[in-house]
């Protein structure tokens, strides 16, 4: 009976360790993207998740006609972005924020977002899911 309990305890501990290890993606890039500077921040992890957190509006971005790409702070990482999560507190999604993110497949937008800018999903050819509460 003691051996069975010991094996069960060991199995539970191993399962917890596996789950914790799988859930810890590494940050590969981060910065500010708020209309007021550091009020909104972004983080891109090694799993391709772009997380946008903070309070208030995101900055509006343009589209550089010379390089034919958006001017977002994550432009050099666009090919790595697979999904995006906009957390509670963020009130708007800026212009061209996800433009040309051709690997982006899904976006979750919190219910705090009240406006979505121009060209936000321009040329997001792989986008198949947008969750808006």
């Amino acid at each position: 009976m003691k051996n069975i309990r010991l094996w069960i305890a060991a199995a539970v501990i191993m399962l917890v360790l596996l789950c914790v290890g799988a859930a810890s993606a590494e940050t590969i890039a981060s910065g500010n993207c708020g209309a007021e500077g550091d009020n909104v921040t972004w983080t891109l992890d090694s799993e391709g998740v772009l997380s946008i957190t903070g309070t208030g509006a995101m900055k509006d971005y343009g589209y550089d006609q010379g390089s034919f790409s958006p001017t977002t702070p994550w432009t050099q990482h666009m090919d790595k972005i697979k999904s995006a999560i906009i957390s509670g507190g963020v009130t708007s999604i800026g212009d061209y924020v996800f433009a040309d993110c051709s690997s982006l497949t899904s976006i979750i937008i919190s219910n705090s977002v009240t406006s979505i800018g121009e060209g936000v999903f321009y040329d997001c050819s792989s986008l198949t899911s947008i969750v808006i509460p």
Side-chain angles (χ1 to χ4, degrees):
M1 189 67 152
K2 276 187 172 180
N3 283 342
I4 293 173
R5 287 183 188 165
L6 194 58
W7 279 104
I8 291 173
V12 168
I13 290 171
M14 288 181 71
L15 184 60
V16 167
L17 290 174
L18 284 173
C19 289
V20 168
S24 60
E26 184 178 323
T27 297
I28 59 172
S30 63
N32 297 324
C33 60
E36 299 168 18
D38 62 357
N39 64 306
V40 179
T41 59
W42 64 277
T43 303
L44 178 63
D45 71 23
S46 58
E47 301 292 323
V49 178
L50 177 67
S51 299
I52 299 173
T53 60
T55 307
M58 289 182 73
K59 181 178 179 179
D60 287 328
Y61 294 95
Y63 202 83
D64 184 350
Q65 297 302 317
S67 66
F68 301 107
S69 64
T71 58
T72 60
W74 48 82
T75 298
Q76 70 184 41
H77 303 288
M78 286 189 313
D79 61 330
K80 297 176 186 98
I81 300 171
K82 297 176 183 174
S83 62
I85 300 170
I86 301 174
S87 298
V90 177
T91 58
S92 70
I93 301 172
D95 294 349
Y96 296 97
V97 166
F98 300 115
D100 284 348
C101 289
S102 59
S103 299
L104 179 67
T105 60
S106 65
I107 299 173
I108 299 172
I109 301 172
S110 75
N111 63 0
S112 62
V113 173
T114 58
S115 68
I116 297 175
E118 178 182 329
V120 170
F121 306 116
Y122 176 76
D123 207 16
C124 292
S125 55
S126 299
L127 187 59
T128 58
S129 172
I130 301 174
V131 177
I132 303 173

